[in-house]
Amino acid sequence: KIFTPTTVSFFGMTGLASFIAAFFAGMFLGTVGFSYVADKYGRRTIFTFALLWYCVAALIMACQSSASGLNFWRFISGIGVGVELVTIDTYLAELVPKSMRGKAFGFQQGIGALTTPLVALLGWQLVPIAPLGIDGWRWVVAIGSLGAVAVWWIRLALPESPRWLAQQGRLEEAEQVMGAIEARVRARTGRDLPPIEEPEAEDPRPGSYAEVFSPAYRSRTIMLMVFQLFQTIGYYGFTAWVPTLLLAKGIHVNQSLQYTFVMALADPSWPIVSMVLADRIERKWQIVISATGIAVVGIIFSLQDAAIALIILGAIQTMCNRWLSYSFHAYQSELYPTRIRARAVGFTYSFSRLSVVFTGFMIAWTLQHFGVTGVFIFIAGAMGVVVVAIGCFGPRTNLLALEKISR
């Protein structure tokens, strides 16, 4: 047993909170310090490199036997994940038509969320035992990193973002990418494509971090900074801590992992189901509704003791979390022009990674002093800030071209 469920002191490095904090500290560095490379070198190149970075770091982490070693390599792997998440958001927003951006992000997160019940199942089955004399958690980490290698191989067939190519002045390559995409669509549908709308010219100027705070984007940047600081308290306050929160309710560790697995089955379902609504309800209001659901359902969850109630409410909470996640990942990538999209998303998104570094310690401290109900009251307050920030200050984005939104 390497980590303790709670921390000895607020910033104790031997508790579970330090392990969570190390990962998000790495993600913070990746998003704020290295997201610009996707604007400079291209979306496809960088998310391929970032995935390989994560795979290597995770495998090394699986071989560690001390809290400090685990925390260090968890931090290193977090850098790769931070760059990866930002690059995926910018790439997907630039590649998908405006009429289905919401659906695309919902589908992407639904497929990605299939790993949640899989990891929960692996944890439930492997963590309590030691196959071949190797700790079960090491198998879970190693399997995850090897799975990422398969994803890396699949991504080699993906094209570069035509918007990024056009912004770089590589118009012939952008035309080739679009021509190939259009040919595949014609072949699959057997129909001609609809008439092309009047194209929006890409500004050829190179982007910079200073532009993120220029008068045109300052209010959006501040709004997203506030949102990101608080949204992670709700999302990761439940997702990362649900086994520990169940343990605090007196549920045995194996039962806790079992309950977590059942709740996790809801994770991939909601993004897929809600694809029907993803582009019909304004994006900002989807964020507001899901954040409200996290606050209300969380408090009700904290007051329950019966297994069936905990599982049902936990599943609903998981669905609200995923709804919030895919909605804001689409939303944040729509608000800036191509030349600064990755660095702007990375900069604002980094505040969520920074928030989680401290959120883990705050939740551990709150759990120790105020119990599970205190944790969910804390989460509800954070969701209130999210509702105000997005509901009052967020612009509309649904069914608008990225170039029009970013003006």
Side-chain angles (χ1 to χ4, degrees):
K1 187 174 181 179
I2 299 174
F3 291 107
T4 58
T6 58
T7 55
V8 177
S9 60
F10 190 83
F11 285 110
M13 291 294 109
T14 59
L16 177 63
S18 68
F19 183 68
I20 296 171
F23 182 60
F24 287 99
M27 290 182 71
F28 170 74
L29 181 59
T31 53
V32 76
F34 297 103
S35 59
Y36 76 93
V37 296
D39 284 334
K40 186 174 182 179
Y41 297 109
R43 318 313 193 195
R44 179 180 177 274
T45 299
I46 296 306
F47 67 50
T48 302
F49 176 80
L51 190 62
L52 286 175
W53 176 292
Y54 166 77
C55 291
V56 173
L59 280 173
I60 296 174
M61 183 185 73
C63 299
Q64 305 303 304
S65 299
S66 66
S68 59
L70 280 169
N71 285 340
F72 175 77
W73 286 104
R74 185 69 165 164
F75 171 81
I76 297 298
S77 69
I79 295 174
V81 174
V83 176
E84 181 80 355
L85 289 176
V86 170
T87 308
I88 288 173
D89 284 357
T90 57
Y91 179 79
L92 192 59
E94 292 171 357
L95 201 63
V96 176
K98 63 183 180 182
S99 61
M100 54 184 297
R101 278 198 302 267
K103 293 185 184 70
F105 275 87
F107 181 77
Q108 177 258 324
Q109 289 226 359
I111 297 301
L114 289 172
T115 60
T116 303
L118 176 59
V119 171
L121 176 62
L122 289 172
W124 172 26
Q125 296 297 319
L126 295 177
V127 169
I129 61 177
L132 303 179
I134 300 173
D135 292 334
W137 68 265
R138 300 182 193 275
W139 286 101
V140 175
V141 174
I143 291 170
S145 63
L146 292 175
V149 173
V151 175
W152 169 80
W153 182 78
I154 293 171
R155 287 180 176 182
L156 293 178
L158 295 177
E160 181 55 89
S161 162
R163 275 189 166 93
W164 181 81
L165 290 169
Q167 198 279 325
Q168 296 290 310
R170 296 160 61 176
L171 300 180
E172 186 175 339
E173 293 176 67
E175 286 287 351
Q176 290 175 352
V177 171
M178 289 305 302
I181 293 173
E182 290 169 357
R184 285 198 297 270
V185 172
R186 288 192 192 96
R188 290 177 182 177
T189 62
R191 300 193 302 267
D192 289 333
L193 298 176
I196 299 175
E197 297 181 7
E198 186 68 25
E200 300 280 348
E202 282 286 355
D203 191 329
R205 294 177 300 160
S208 67
Y209 277 109
E211 191 175 359
V212 176
F213 278 97
S214 65
Y217 305 113
R218 185 183 302 132
S219 62
R220 296 181 181 189
T221 299
I222 295 172
M223 179 267 295
L224 283 177
M225 287 166 59
V226 173
F227 165 76
Q228 297 289 10
L229 279 171
F230 287 90
Q231 64 87 5
T232 48
I233 295 174
Y235 186 89
Y236 289 103
F238 183 79
T239 303
W241 282 85
V242 64
T244 304
L245 294 171
L246 290 172
L247 285 173
K249 281 183 164 289
I251 296 171
H252 186 268
V253 61
N254 201 38
Q255 282 183 307
S256 173
L257 292 170
Q258 183 180 359
Y259 291 2
T260 302
F261 166 65
V262 175
M263 293 176 198
L265 291 173
D267 201 25
S269 61
W270 179 251
I272 302 299
V273 171
S274 64
M275 284 172 61
V276 178
L277 306 173
D279 292 297
R280 295 184 180 181
I281 302 175
E282 178 57 49
R283 203 98 60 225
K284 62 181 284 184
W285 297 124
Q286 294 187 58
I287 295 173
V288 168
I289 294 169
S290 57
T292 302
I294 290 171
V296 174
V297 175
I299 291 176
I300 299 174
F301 176 92
S302 71
L303 300 175
Q304 307 303 310
D305 291 308
I308 187 65
L310 288 170
I311 291 173
I312 292 174
L313 290 167
I316 296 173
Q317 183 84 340
T318 300
M319 288 190 287
C320 287
N321 277 348
R322 186 56 64 177
W323 191 9
L324 174 69
S325 179
Y326 86 73
S327 297
F328 91 72
H329 275 278
Y331 191 66
Q332 67 181 2
S333 62
E334 296 172 316
L335 301 183
Y336 297 95
T338 301
R339 63 184 177 275
I340 62 168
R341 182 166 291 118
R343 49 170 53 90
V345 171
F347 176 78
T348 55
Y349 190 54
S350 71
F351 281 82
S352 70
R353 309 304 90 181
L354 181 64
S355 171
V356 177
V357 172
F358 297 99
T359 295
F361 294 107
M362 288 188 285
I363 287 182
W365 184 86
T366 303
L367 180 62
Q368 188 173 22
H369 292 84
F370 300 100
V372 176
T373 301
V375 169
F376 280 100
I377 291 174
F378 173 53
I379 288 173
M383 292 300 95
V385 177
V386 166
V387 168
V388 172
I390 300 297
C392 296
F393 302 102
R396 288 183 58 251
T397 63
N398 276 38
L399 305 180
L400 297 175
L402 293 178
E403 291 76 16
K404 289 184 178 179
I405 298 170
S406 63
R407 286 180 176 174

